[in-house]
Amino acid sequence: VQLVESGGGLVQPGGSLRLSCAASGFTFSNYYMSWVREIPGKGLEWVSDIDGGGGNTYYADSVKGRFTISRDNAKNTLYLQMDSLKPEDTALYYCARNPPDPVQAMCITECDYWGQGTQVTVSS
């Protein structure tokens, strides 16, 4: 199993970024996937979940209305579109695979495979 994030960078407040996570080594469409971020000094924070088919999505209150999770199962790729970015969104963003019997918003303790992370910095 391999998860490789990309798309992070430096962006001004109010700007946008789209993160990608390329998955390999497993049947991607069979798994619930998540984005989790690590904020300096605050630890890990769950950001968003998406089910295997992409029809059900869930968000932390801190990003609801600004971030959109999606997936392309034909390309084995997970996405996170981030709009209206704020300085407090600065973090290392990870994609992660949930176990076969997922519990929504519990990736931090339940996810079995994680990528290496991609850094997002929101600053003027």
Side-chain angles (χ1 to χ4, degrees), residues 25-48:
F26 64 104
T27 304
F28 181 65
S29 59
N30 286 354
Y31 286 85
Y32 201 91
M33 297 294 293
S34 299
W35 287 98
V36 174
R37 64 188 181 185
E38 183 173 15
I39 299 174
K42 294 188 177 181
L44 293 171
E45 179 186 35
W46 169 74
V47 174
S48 184

Side-chain angles (χ1 to χ4, degrees), residues 55-104:
N56 293 294
T57 58
Y58 308 90
Y59 299 93
D61 287 343
S62 58
V63 306
K64 198 173 295 181
R66 300 187 298 119
F67 290 11
T68 304
I69 191 171
S70 63
R71 65 193 297 160
D72 185 336
N73 287 340
K75 295 182 178 180
N76 290 344
T77 303
L78 177 72
Y79 302 101
L80 185 68
Q81 177 67 42
M82 306 186 296
D83 298 318
S84 302
L85 282 161
K86 304 175 181 180
E88 51 264 44
D89 294 318
T90 295
L92 186 62
Y93 284 74
Y94 298 95
C95 69
R97 190 187 82 167
N98 286 261
D101 188 17
V103 178
Q104 192 260 316

Side-chain angles (χ1 to χ4, degrees), residues 6-30:
S6 61
L10 173 64
V11 62
Q12 292 187 341
S16 298
L17 280 175
R18 187 175 82 154
L19 306 183
S20 299
C21 172
S24 60
F26 64 104
T27 304
F28 181 65
S29 59
N30 286 354

